[in-house]
Amino acid sequence: MDLDWKEVSNYFRTLPKKFDYLLILQIIPLLVISSILVKEINPALFTKQMIYYTVGAIGFLVAVFIPWQKILWWFAPVSYFLNLLLLLAVDVVGKTILGAKRWIQIPGIGLTVQPSEFIKISVVLMLAWLIHRNPPPKEGYGFIDFAKLSVVILIPFLLIAKEPDLGTALVLLMTGYGILFLVGVRWRVWFTVFLLAAISAPILYNHLHDYQKKRISDFLGKPSYHVQQALIAIGSGGVDGKAKEEATQTQLKFLPISSSDFIFAYLGERFGYKGMLAVITLYILLIIHLLALSRIYEQDYLIKSVAGGLAFLIFIYMNVNMYMIIGMAPVVGVPLPMFSHGGTSFIIFAVFFGILINLIAFKSYFQYNSDAKITLLEKDPLKKVGKEDLYLPKRIREKQQKNSQ
């Protein structure tokens, strides 16, 4: 098929005009603060983080130019099932780190990837495509449609929980159902779900691992060692924080996993209450922006689902991590999004934002203009315009029109 380079040029020129620059400006301060903290904790990890940032930037640029509206019909299910296979492969070739088998090591370069991170984007895209194909009625989805969409969420949830990685599994579960809540589900369905969850809670508790039960008992009783050290770090930082050399909780290794799960505690020790408040404010503004986009493009269920999914994902990650550090939630392996050291999570978020910006920028690019169709029919009332013709390059459409005359 002939390639219309003028049309390709128009496609690439569309992005800068409709690019959501505010989203990027809201993310950059988080990356800068995170990089400063990681470099102070461990310069070697900082070097690795710069590699992750570079890969993430490339992933973002690729994602932002891919015509998702045209390929999502096959990409969403293929990506979903491939990631399910990766989750199954963790049992066979997975690498155990800190007692959990969640990672697959890339041969030759020493880096690891976490399939449970990749499945998040696949689940959101799969839900977005299914909702786009079958939008909810005015009163919301009923039991049957809700059950069909729940299958997309529950299969990866169970596979991730089995690793075991209950924290990531619950984040995925809440994000998926958060999207369904946003697009609309009847209240009777939610009432039934909450009732079943309450009834089955004691049974599910008995199937938890011993260390997971201990985390819950520590949360309800005396704080664990990790939480105690995090609270000491935050309290010692005061309002304005300390100099790097005086941040003894982190520098003397009392604070565990300070570059990843407990990096917010080091933020409090290093930059104090003001630093923590600034980062929380950045997250809140980013979440509000994403929810606003979901509201603005309410009739476009692709944008609504992806923007809403991102908002829920960041909100849940942020709250679970921060509450965990101050002892108001059980300690689980949930990082602070785009802030904790880690490559897979950051790359996934970068691709996520690239997809969202692409969907917004090219929202109307592939849509057929009804006014143009009416004009064409008026010029040639005998010619019928098929739906498949609407996505052909301009040059081919012009040749077909010329040959038919």
Side-chain angles (χ1 to χ4, degrees):
M1 187 169 66
D2 292 339
L3 189 63
D4 191 337
W5 290 106
K6 184 177 180 181
E7 195 155 312
V8 172
S9 175
N10 289 336
Y11 179 84
F12 281 95
R13 280 197 304 237
T14 299
L15 183 64
K17 299 176 184 176
K18 299 184 178 181
F19 193 95
D20 193 334
Y21 295 98
L22 181 58
L23 271 179
I24 306 303
L25 291 175
Q26 289 177 312
I27 295 170
I28 290 175
L30 292 172
L31 304 183
V32 172
I33 298 171
S34 170
S35 299
I36 293 172
L37 296 177
V38 171
K39 187 175 183 180
E40 291 181 353
I41 295 169
N42 189 333
L45 290 181
F46 172 78
T47 301
K48 188 178 285 189
Q49 183 147 317
M50 291 302 102
I51 296 174
Y52 291 141
Y53 282 179
T54 303
V55 175
I58 295 171
F60 171 83
L61 291 174
V62 172
V64 86
F65 282 109
I66 293 175
W68 293 103
Q69 293 189 44
K70 293 195 69 174
I71 71 168
L72 205 58
W73 66 272
W74 65 264
F75 181 87
V78 169
S79 169
Y80 179 79
F81 287 111
L82 283 178
N83 278 290
L84 287 182
L85 291 176
L86 283 176
L87 286 176
L88 292 171
V90 169
D91 275 340
V92 182
V93 296
K95 181 178 180 180
T96 301
I97 301 177
L98 298 176
K101 198 174 184 180
R102 305 171 185 170
W103 293 267
I104 296 177
Q105 187 166 16
I106 302 175
I109 60 176
L111 298 178
T112 58
V113 294
Q114 191 173 353
S116 59
E117 293 292 338
F118 288 102
I119 195 66
K120 293 170 192 170
I121 191 169
S122 298
V123 168
V124 172
L125 291 180
M126 190 68 173
L127 287 174
W129 175 247
L130 293 174
I131 294 168
H132 172 74
R133 287 184 57 193
N134 180 32
K138 187 176 181 180
E139 62 274 13
Y141 285 123
F143 283 99
I144 296 177
D145 289 324
F146 180 83
K148 291 177 181 178
L149 293 171
S150 292
V151 171
V152 176
I153 303 169
L154 292 176
I155 293 176
F157 165 77
L158 294 173
L159 290 174
I160 296 171
K162 180 178 174 291
E163 289 183 350
D165 189 359
L166 188 59
T168 302
L170 289 174
V171 169
L172 177 66
L173 188 74
M174 290 186 284
T175 301
Y177 283 119
I179 293 173
L180 298 187
F181 174 80
L182 199 63
V183 299
V185 174
R186 297 175 188 178
W187 68 267
R188 289 172 295 181
V189 177
W190 289 124
F191 177 79
T192 305
V193 169
F194 287 125
L195 184 62
L196 291 173
I199 293 173
S200 59
I203 302 172
L204 295 175
Y205 178 81
N206 290 329
H207 285 81
L208 294 178
H209 293 265
D210 290 337
Y211 79 92
Q212 292 171 334
K213 292 179 181 179
K214 186 178 184 304
R215 287 177 177 178
I216 295 175
S217 63
D218 288 342
F219 162 65
L220 297 174
K222 183 181 178 181
S224 66
Y225 172 82
H226 296 66
V227 174
Q228 290 178 24
Q229 298 304 318
L231 291 174
I232 293 172
I234 293 172
S236 65
V239 176
D240 298 314
K242 294 179 174 182
K244 172 188 172 184
E245 294 75 16
E246 298 175 5
T248 54
Q249 282 296 109
T250 303
Q251 298 304 325
L252 297 180
K253 310 299 182 184
F254 288 111
L255 182 65
I257 326 176
S258 56
S259 64
S260 182
D261 293 353
F262 285 82
I263 194 171
F264 191 71
Y266 180 51
L267 172 70
E269 185 180 26
R270 184 70 175 81
F271 294 107
Y273 173 78
K274 292 179 180 178
M276 292 190 296
L277 185 61
V279 169
I280 292 172
T281 302
L282 288 172
Y283 276 119
I284 291 174
L285 292 175
L286 179 59
I287 292 168
I288 290 174
H289 187 175
L290 290 169
L291 291 176
L293 290 174
S294 180
R295 178 66 176 174
I296 292 169
Y297 299 99
E298 192 172 15
Q299 300 304 316
D300 189 317
Y301 284 99
L302 288 179
I303 298 176
K304 185 181 180 73
S305 299
V306 174
L310 258 174
F312 274 108
L313 199 58
I314 294 171
F315 176 79
I316 295 166
Y317 262 122
M318 179 191 76
N319 278 274
V320 171
N321 181 273
M322 292 180 181
Y323 279 122
M324 171 188 78
I325 287 172
I326 61 177
M328 295 183 67
V331 176
V332 291
V334 173
L336 204 55
M338 297 174 292
F339 202 84
S340 294
H341 171 72
T344 309
S345 177
F346 174 75
I347 294 169
I348 291 303
F349 274 107
V351 173
F352 239 136
F353 278 104
I355 293 172
L356 176 61
I357 290 175
N358 174 277
L359 290 174
I360 294 172
F362 298 102
K363 178 182 182 300
S364 304
Y365 189 85
F366 297 108
Q367 292 179 357
Y368 182 66
N369 189 314
S370 58
D371 294 334
K373 180 179 178 180
I374 292 173
T375 304
L376 179 63
L377 291 175
E378 286 177 349
K379 289 182 178 179
D380 190 357
L382 296 179
K383 177 174 175 57
K384 295 182 179 180
V385 181
K387 185 177 180 181
E388 65 276 7
D389 296 330
L390 307 183
Y391 300 104
L392 293 175
K394 183 179 177 182
R395 180 185 298 178
I396 295 180
R397 292 200 304 267
E398 289 174 350
K399 282 184 179 179
Q400 289 179 345
Q401 293 175 18
K402 186 177 180 180
N403 292 335
S404 63
Q405 291 175 352

